[in-house]
């Protein structure tokens, strides 16, 4: 009777947990990501050891039934399987030159095993070592990265690409994760659902929402650079204290109500491919919802709604 612990089964399990880990990372579930990423690394590390020789999965202490089974001396597998853990598997791969030393990878395994406390760690701290380790093991065992990662291949490539700086990697990864969330939430719903929801939550026009000593904050509807729907709120700022007839606003943030993409700061908005400035005129303003000293509410006959008049200067 052959052993149920095979390279193919370990590889398949590693793939399943890797996809779960990437999905958890996209949803911001740090502890779930760490658990699934650690299991994926363990499964693939054991698969790599099996390729060398199955006996490398056997513990060197306690009952020797597993060692005898892996060596072929016992054809019937033991009722209970006891193989080495993730840390031991990684240590053996390092000894035979398949994996390099990595404090980040060790930290991931410790968190996964509950040896270390999560503390101030985040999923982003361990995404790169997780991806790099998996890809090294895939290459060593002759497996196709694209087939293993599937729909996550683009995000993986961004994570590994040295041509991108830290901000670019963060933005590109967030956009890919936003597309994943979009597909998860709306992929199986009837055609036209996305457009209907976008019309419901999207608010057209330029709106003043706040005024502070540092400037005036506006919001307007924007196309989302991740999911492509007109459901993103773009926040823009103009310096205080003067509001002229024609202004140039600077993009500050973007939040998409459908895919959940969030961009913070002009640099991230530029990396996402959006313009960081917007020219507008006073007549472009649809509404002022700030309760500050902007002026009294009057009726706008063109809009058919109450609005605050925009004065020539503040």
């Amino acid at each position: 009777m052959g052993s149920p612990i095979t390279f193919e089964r370990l590889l398949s399990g590693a793939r399943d947990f890797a996809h779960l880990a990437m999905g958890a990372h996209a949803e911001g579930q740090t502890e779930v990501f760490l658990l699934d990423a650690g299991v994926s690394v363990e499964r693939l590390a054991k698969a790599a050891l099996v390729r060398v020789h199955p006996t490398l999965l056997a513990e060197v202490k306690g009952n020797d039934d597993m060692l005898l089974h892996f060596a072929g001396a016992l054809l019937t597998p033991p009722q209970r399987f006891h193989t080495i853990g993730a840390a031991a598997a990684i240590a053996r791969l390092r000894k035979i030159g398949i994996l390099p030393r990595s404090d980040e990878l060790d930290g991931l395994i410790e968190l996964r095993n509950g040896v270390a406390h999560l503390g101030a760690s985040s999923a982003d701290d361990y995404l790169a070592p997780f991806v790099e380790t998996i890809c090294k093991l895939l290459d060593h065992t002759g497996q196709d990265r694209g087939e293993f990662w599937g729909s996550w291949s683009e995000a993986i490539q961004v994570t590994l690409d040295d041509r991108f700086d830290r901000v670019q990697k963060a933005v590109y990864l967030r956009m890919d994760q936003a597309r994943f969330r979009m597909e998860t939430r709306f992929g199986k719903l009837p055609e036209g659902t996305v457009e209907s929801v976008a019309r419901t939550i999207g608010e057209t026009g330029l709106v003043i929402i706040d005024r502070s000593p540092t400037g005036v904050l506006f919001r307007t509807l924007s196309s989302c650079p991740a999911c492509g729907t007109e459901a993103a709120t773009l926040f823009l700022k103009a310096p205080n204290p003067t509001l002229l007839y024609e202004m140039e606003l600077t993009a500050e943030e973007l939040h998409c109500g459908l895919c959940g993409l969030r961009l913070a700061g002009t640099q991230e908005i530029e990396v996402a491919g959006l313009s960081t400035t917007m020219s507008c005129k006073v007549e472009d303003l649809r509404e002022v919802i700030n309760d500050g000293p902007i002026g009294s509410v009057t009726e706008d006959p063109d809009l058919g709604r109450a609005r605050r008049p925009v004065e020539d200067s503040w």
Side-chain angles (χ1 to χ4, degrees), residues 68-285:
L68 295 171
H69 173 65
F70 285 140
L74 289 178
L75 298 182
T76 302
Q79 289 184 338
R80 297 181 65 184
F81 284 85
H82 295 282
T83 61
I84 57 174
I90 291 170
R92 291 183 184 181
L93 288 171
R94 285 171 176 164
K95 285 183 178 179
I96 58 180
I98 295 176
L99 282 181
R101 294 205 59 82
S102 169
D103 291 338
E104 291 79 10
L105 177 59
D106 292 342
L108 169 64
I109 299 303
E110 288 177 357
L111 287 166
R112 177 256 180 181
N113 292 339
V115 176
H117 296 290
L118 187 60
S121 300
S122 71
D124 290 336
D125 295 333
Y126 296 99
L127 179 63
F130 162 59
V131 169
E132 290 167 359
T133 300
I134 292 292
C135 287
K136 280 187 174 70
L137 293 174
L138 289 173
D139 294 344
H140 175 76
T141 55
Q143 304 304 302
D144 183 77
R145 292 186 182 185
E147 183 178 342
F148 182 91
W149 291 110
S151 59
W152 289 109
S153 295
E154 186 175 343
I156 298 307
Q157 186 58 43
V158 168
T159 303
L160 297 173
D161 202 326
D162 293 333
R163 294 174 300 174
F164 301 134
D165 62 25
R166 182 183 59 81
V167 174
Q168 289 174 315
K169 284 188 177 185
V171 171
Y172 294 151
L173 181 61
R174 244 178 284 155
M175 290 173 63
D176 197 74
Q177 292 172 335
R179 287 188 282 267
F180 165 80
R181 288 193 295 268
M182 192 74 175
E183 178 61 27
T184 300
R185 296 169 184 174
F186 297 98
K188 297 182 180 179
L189 295 179
E191 186 176 351
T193 300
V194 172
E195 291 74 12
S196 177
V197 175
R199 286 193 297 270
T200 301
I201 67 175
E203 184 179 354
T204 61
L206 188 66
V207 180
I208 296 177
I209 60 173
D210 192 24
R211 179 192 175 192
S212 69
T214 60
V216 182
L217 189 63
F218 301 78
R219 89 168 173 234
T220 190
L221 191 65
S222 172
S223 175
C224 176
C227 66
T229 60
E230 291 286 334
T233 300
L234 183 64
F235 296 91
L236 308 110
K237 202 166 190 179
N240 215 14
T242 302
L243 178 62
L244 303 176
Y245 177 75
E246 187 168 349
M247 301 170 293
E248 185 169 276
L249 311 180
T250 302
E252 296 267 312
E253 290 184 50
L254 180 137
H255 301 164
C256 181
L258 284 185
C259 69
L261 177 68
R262 287 179 174 263
L263 301 174
T266 301
Q267 186 178 7
E268 289 193 355
I269 290 172
E270 183 176 24
V271 169
L274 297 177
S275 174
T276 59
T277 59
M278 172 181 169
S279 296
C280 75
K281 297 180 181 180
V282 170
E283 59 260 34
D284 294 330
L285 295 174

Side-chain angles (χ1 to χ4, degrees), residues 39-87:
V39 174
S40 178
V41 169
E42 178 177 358
R43 296 287 176 91
L44 198 54
K46 289 182 176 180
L49 288 173
V50 166
R51 270 291 178 88
V52 178
H53 198 278
T55 56
L56 292 178
L57 292 188
E59 291 183 300
V60 294
K61 60 182 179 179
N63 193 307
D64 59 2
D65 288 353
M66 287 301 298
L67 176 62
L68 295 171
H69 173 65
F70 285 140
L74 289 178
L75 298 182
T76 302
Q79 289 184 338
R80 297 181 65 184
F81 284 85
H82 295 282
T83 61
I84 57 174

